[in-house]
Amino acid sequence: MASSDTDSMPSYPPTPPSPHVTQQPMTAFAPTISFSPTWQTLGPFQIGTREATWGADPLEALGGFHCLPYNESATFPSSLATNGTVSWSTVEASISSPAPTSARAELLLSFENADWGFLQSVYGWAALQYQGWTRGSLTVHGDNGRRIVLYTDNILEFWVDDEHYFGGDFYSFRRAPLVLLLKPGEHSVEVRVVRDVRAMGGVGKPTVSLLLEAELSEGRPQILNESLLLPDMVEDRWGFADVEAAIAAVPEWIRAMQWHGCGIDTDRWLVTGHSNGGQGVWYILTHRPDKLIGAAPVSAYSSIQAYVPYQLWYESDPTITAIVQGSLSDYRHELLLENSRGIPVHQQHGSLDDNVPPRHSRRMSQLLSQIGCASEYTELPAKNHWFEGVMTTQNLLRFYDKILENRLARKPIPSTFEFVVVNPGTMGSKYGIVVDQLTSPERPDGSRIQLLRDVPNLSQWLLRLTNGSWMVSNDIDWSKDQRHGRQVGGIDALLNTGGTFIIRTPVESLSLATQVSRNLFQYFGADTEIVALADPPKYHEGIEIQLFLGNAYWSSPTAHAPPIYVDRHIGLVIQDANGHCTSYGFSEGLGAIFLWPSPVNNLNLMVWGSDLPGLRSAVRLVPMLAGVGQPDFVIVSRECAWKGIGGVRALGHFNSFWNISNWSVIQ
């Protein structure tokens, strides 16, 4: 708390004037919009890797930064700062006006009130991640209101006046800026500062660079930018379906362009990548083993969990933490290396790499050796993370040549092999075997497979576990009622399905539906359509995201009745695997988000709030950033705003019959 009175908000002296710009007479050269040069700042506070999506803002326990006036004498507790407290400060922004109709504010934030070197020596790069807030203003000059296009580079969350926005543009894609209609005068802009090592680096001083850019809108539809949608690992997001679609499109391009050069075999891949791209190589190696003839991760980190650990999240029940971490297992390549057996691997790493320490490659080399994989490791003396020719060193060129010379050789199929599957929705085949369901969706399922010589001579066959025994079956009716394939994989499984996103919303939450739409386009380039919740449902093969408020309830489009539902007289009810029901009365900040099947074996996402704050908290968990760890369902409370996962009331997974699994947590 900011004072010794723990039962009330701290009492502050009168607030000084808010940050302002010097008013200039309106001339032909005067700007029409401008940012303030001085910004009020508060921080740093502790935050874990990708934790901000869950809330976890300590100032929310005081009502939120938005409610705190500037006061130089006020102090706030912080586990990162010397003496355990932080106070207000100011920072000067770099202000520019590229044109009379635009304005830019660049902020470089560096909190000197923490001993970053000591913290890093104990907690590693996780200690170089922090959060805080900064407040400035945007002024619209003249006598008329303006429609403003606002870009928010490296920003995840912010306020403009009394309107809250979550999503921003954390990776500076600039696909979906915010459009605002602002009256003449000064408008408050408050930005949550979130430092993330994976996005901003762990070498050097732990600063945060933010860019706000405002432009006058011409008031008519326009193309804001033409950009290339990159494979997500390059931009810290994974969109492997885009990669596969691009590869599959090459033969058609060859035909259409009448290409007479070399051909392509789209079923045999030699994959190499550097840094984030190297982690992408590990992903492909462990998730598409039948496609690969060779893999060369260069200066690669082994997994997102090993690169920047998750240990500085808000303290919570260990079972809750386990479910969140288990939901990230699809990225834990160390657990999936058994799938790479039989595929040649050559790793390369610089011995002086301070961006991705060579321990990552050394560890993967050790693990590959322990399972008997054909692996080579070259560590280059006195080389750092990147240098000219890093992808074409002599050892890599020899590896490429060796793989390509033997590209037509078929891998022998062993009589017995291991196949480790975390998520059937993202996993390909191994020796032609595809896993469609898991006995426990919460944890990796490793199966030892023994090939039978009397398997029926069919191009495709199905093995089902019936009464404890595996039996060959040609029955596919089970798939109409059971969860399988791309329906599996936590809330992120929504991104594995195909089609346009349909967002159904009541009028009261239209702004949140627009936020979801903007974020899906900003981070995934996804098309969305917003329709009224009251409109009659139409048949489509897309994905529905349905928003509900208060005592509104959802009906299932399938034969199943959801085990999470709203009782108009009680509140939110969740039924566990044993049929026991737990209810949560309608209360401020209560919300829920969960997957549910659609009639076309796709997925829908149901998002509910007891009130708008509860819906706003649940909407934060709609997929946006990688590494957040949302399982199949989450029930959030008001306390999530400052406790993160420590404030959830229930979370977990559905089993193959869309019932709550036994491993879920219901408090």
Side-chain angles (χ1 to χ4, degrees):
M1 297 294 291
S3 73
S4 59
D5 181 5
T6 59
D7 297 323
S8 62
M9 291 289 292
S11 176
Y12 295 107
T15 307
S18 60
H20 65 279
V21 295
T22 302
Q23 297 296 321
Q24 305 178 34
M26 293 300 293
T27 68
F29 301 98
T32 52
I33 50 177
S34 59
F35 285 103
S36 59
T38 303
W39 290 65
Q40 303 163 353
T41 303
L42 188 57
F45 300 100
Q46 178 177 318
I47 195 168
T49 302
R50 298 297 157 92
E51 188 183 14
T53 297
W54 294 89
D57 176 5
L59 295 179
E60 286 295 323
L62 306 176
F65 178 82
H66 184 64
C67 299
L68 295 176
Y70 181 85
N71 183 349
E72 292 181 348
S73 63
T75 59
F76 303 82
S78 168
S79 59
L80 298 181
T82 304
N83 294 326
T85 60
V86 298
S87 56
W88 288 90
S89 62
T90 59
V91 62
E92 295 299 312
S94 175
I95 303 298
S96 61
S97 296
T101 57
S102 65
R104 291 165 58 100
E106 298 179 68
L107 292 96
L108 184 64
L109 300 172
S110 174
F111 294 95
E112 305 294 343
N113 50 346
D115 188 343
W116 299 115
F118 177 74
L119 290 170
Q120 183 181 0
S121 70
V122 178
Y123 301 105
W125 278 348
L128 303 185
Q129 302 181 136
Y130 55 78
Q131 61 178 315
W133 281 88
T134 186
R135 177 187 292 143
S137 65
L138 172 63
T139 298
V140 177
H141 299 280
D143 300 324
N144 300 317
R146 300 285 187 175
R147 192 177 301 275
I148 305 295
V149 177
L150 182 63
Y151 294 89
T152 54
D153 293 15
N154 295 338
I155 294 170
L156 185 66
E157 186 170 0
F158 59 99
W159 290 77
V160 177
D161 293 331
D162 291 325
E163 292 295 325
H164 174 263
Y165 301 94
F166 179 74
D169 190 4
F170 198 57
Y171 302 128
S172 304
F173 287 143
R174 296 194 149 218
R175 291 195 193 104
L178 185 66
V179 179
L180 302 166
L181 183 59
L182 298 180
K183 296 178 180 179
E186 188 178 79
H187 299 269
S188 174
V189 179
E190 299 169 333
V191 175
R192 186 181 184 185
V193 180
V194 177
R195 189 172 199 282
D196 182 277
V197 167
R198 283 177 57 200
M200 303 173 185
V203 180
K205 197 173 183 179
T207 59
V208 177
S209 177
L210 308 176
L211 173 62
L212 290 158
E213 184 169 0
E215 299 176 354
L216 292 188
S217 171
E218 297 181 10
R220 63 177 184 271
Q222 55 184 308
I223 297 176
L224 294 170
N225 186 32
E226 293 184 8
S227 59
L228 175 66
L229 182 61
L230 297 173
D232 292 343
M233 270 301 166
V234 176
E235 297 291 355
D236 200 23
R237 302 178 300 111
W238 186 255
F240 187 56
D242 294 335
V243 179
E244 292 186 297
I247 294 173
V250 172
E252 176 59 25
W253 180 90
I254 290 175
R255 186 197 64 79
M257 300 301 294
Q258 299 182 354
W259 169 261
H260 298 294
C262 61
I264 183 172
D265 186 343
T266 58
D267 291 325
R268 298 176 185 221
W269 303 350
L270 168 58
V271 182
T272 187
H274 177 268
S275 193
N276 269 345
Q279 192 218 179
V281 173
W282 288 122
Y283 185 93
I284 296 171
L285 180 66
T286 55
H287 288 71
R288 295 295 186 274
D290 275 356
K291 293 285 188 181
L292 265 65
I293 59 174
V298 178
S299 305
Y301 57 92
S302 56
S303 64
I304 61 175
Q305 295 92 332
Y307 189 51
V308 185
Y310 281 63
Q311 78 262 34
L312 293 182
W313 280 41
Y314 192 98
E315 293 78 7
S316 66
D317 185 323
T319 55
I320 291 177
T321 301
I323 289 175
V324 172
Q325 288 299 308
S327 299
L328 296 170
S329 295
D330 202 28
Y331 299 101
R332 197 66 195 248
H333 307 129
E334 300 93 333
L335 302 178
L336 307 176
L337 281 180
E338 185 66 44
N339 298 342
S340 67
R341 188 192 293 265
I343 303 170
V345 177
H346 187 106
Q347 295 186 83
Q348 176 183 286
H349 219 118
S351 66
L352 300 182
D353 193 334
D354 57 1
N355 191 309
V356 178
R359 190 207 73 85
H360 288 271
S361 291
R362 296 169 186 165
R363 180 60 175 168
M364 295 300 266
S365 177
Q366 180 184 13
L367 294 176
L368 287 168
S369 174
Q370 289 174 355
I371 61 176
C373 284
S375 169
E376 301 172 350
Y377 174 52
T378 299
E379 189 165 305
L380 303 177
K383 293 294 185 181
N384 210 311
H385 187 62
W386 172 263
F387 56 90
E388 189 69 28
V390 66
M391 301 300 294
T392 54
T393 59
Q394 288 300 312
N395 56 286
L396 285 176
L397 291 176
R398 283 194 293 268
F399 178 73
Y400 302 153
D401 288 342
K402 181 175 68 174
I403 297 300
L404 294 176
E405 286 173 2
N406 298 287
R407 65 187 182 277
L408 298 180
R410 292 287 181 181
K411 291 183 292 186
I413 301 178
S415 59
T416 302
F417 59 90
E418 295 273 347
F419 191 14
V420 183
V421 178
V422 172
N423 177 3
T426 60
M427 185 64 69
S429 64
K430 182 171 182 180
Y431 298 121
I433 302 295
V434 176
V435 174
D436 213 26
Q437 287 184 317
L438 301 178
T439 54
S440 297
E442 304 89 346
R443 51 186 182 172
D445 197 348
S447 300
R448 178 174 294 276
I449 298 173
Q450 182 176 0
L451 295 184
L452 307 177
R453 299 309 174 190
D454 57 349
V455 168
N457 187 20
L458 302 173
S459 60
Q460 181 175 339
W461 39 269
L462 174 70
L463 289 176
R464 298 202 62 205
L465 187 61
T466 306
N467 296 326
S469 301
W470 289 98
M471 300 178 60
V472 177
S473 170
N474 57 7
D475 175 24
I476 61 172
D477 288 339
W478 64 273
S479 63
K480 299 176 182 178
D481 300 318
Q482 295 183 34
R483 189 182 187 198
H484 66 285
R486 63 185 185 181
Q487 293 179 328
V488 183
I491 289 177
D492 280 350
L494 206 69
L495 304 175
N496 300 329
T497 55
T500 300
F501 286 91
I502 309 296
I503 304 174
R504 301 177 65 86
T505 180
V507 174
E508 299 91 332
S509 56
L510 180 59
S511 63
L512 289 177
T514 304
Q515 172 182 290
V516 171
S517 174
R518 182 171 56 249
N519 290 343
L520 287 171
F521 183 70
Q522 183 84 277
Y523 292 95
F524 305 108
D527 295 326
T528 57
E529 178 184 354
I530 299 177
V531 299
L533 186 62
D535 287 353
K538 298 183 296 184
Y539 176 84
H540 61 85
E541 295 186 355
I543 307 105
E544 284 201 1
I545 300 176
Q546 300 184 18
L547 308 186
F548 300 88
L549 268 173
N551 60 10
Y553 62 93
W554 43 86
S555 58
S556 175
T558 66
H560 297 283
I564 302 173
Y565 59 92
V566 172
D567 184 307
R568 294 188 175 187
H569 305 288
I570 299 176
L572 187 70
V573 180
I574 180 169
Q575 182 177 356
D576 66 18
N578 300 315
H580 175 74
C581 291
T582 301
S583 61
Y584 304 88
F586 297 110
S587 59
E588 179 185 356
L590 182 69
I593 182 169
F594 63 95
L595 294 173
W596 199 246
S598 75
V600 292
N601 281 330
N602 219 330
L603 283 173
N604 291 338
L605 186 63
M606 322 299 279
V607 192
W608 173 84
S610 177
D611 53 8
L612 274 173
L615 183 60
R616 186 177 293 114
S617 182
V619 158
R620 297 173 72 99
L621 296 175
V622 175
M624 191 177 70
L625 304 182
V628 174
Q630 308 97 315
D632 296 345
F633 72 88
V634 183
I635 296 178
V636 297
S637 75
R638 178 176 174 272
E639 293 182 345
C640 289
W642 62 91
K643 291 184 177 180
I645 62 172
V648 302
R649 292 294 175 259
L651 81 170
H653 295 271
F654 298 116
N655 63 20
S656 296
F657 296 92
W658 289 103
N659 297 317
I660 302 294
S661 74
N662 288 319
W663 291 84
S664 299
V665 173
I666 301 174
Q667 301 193 80

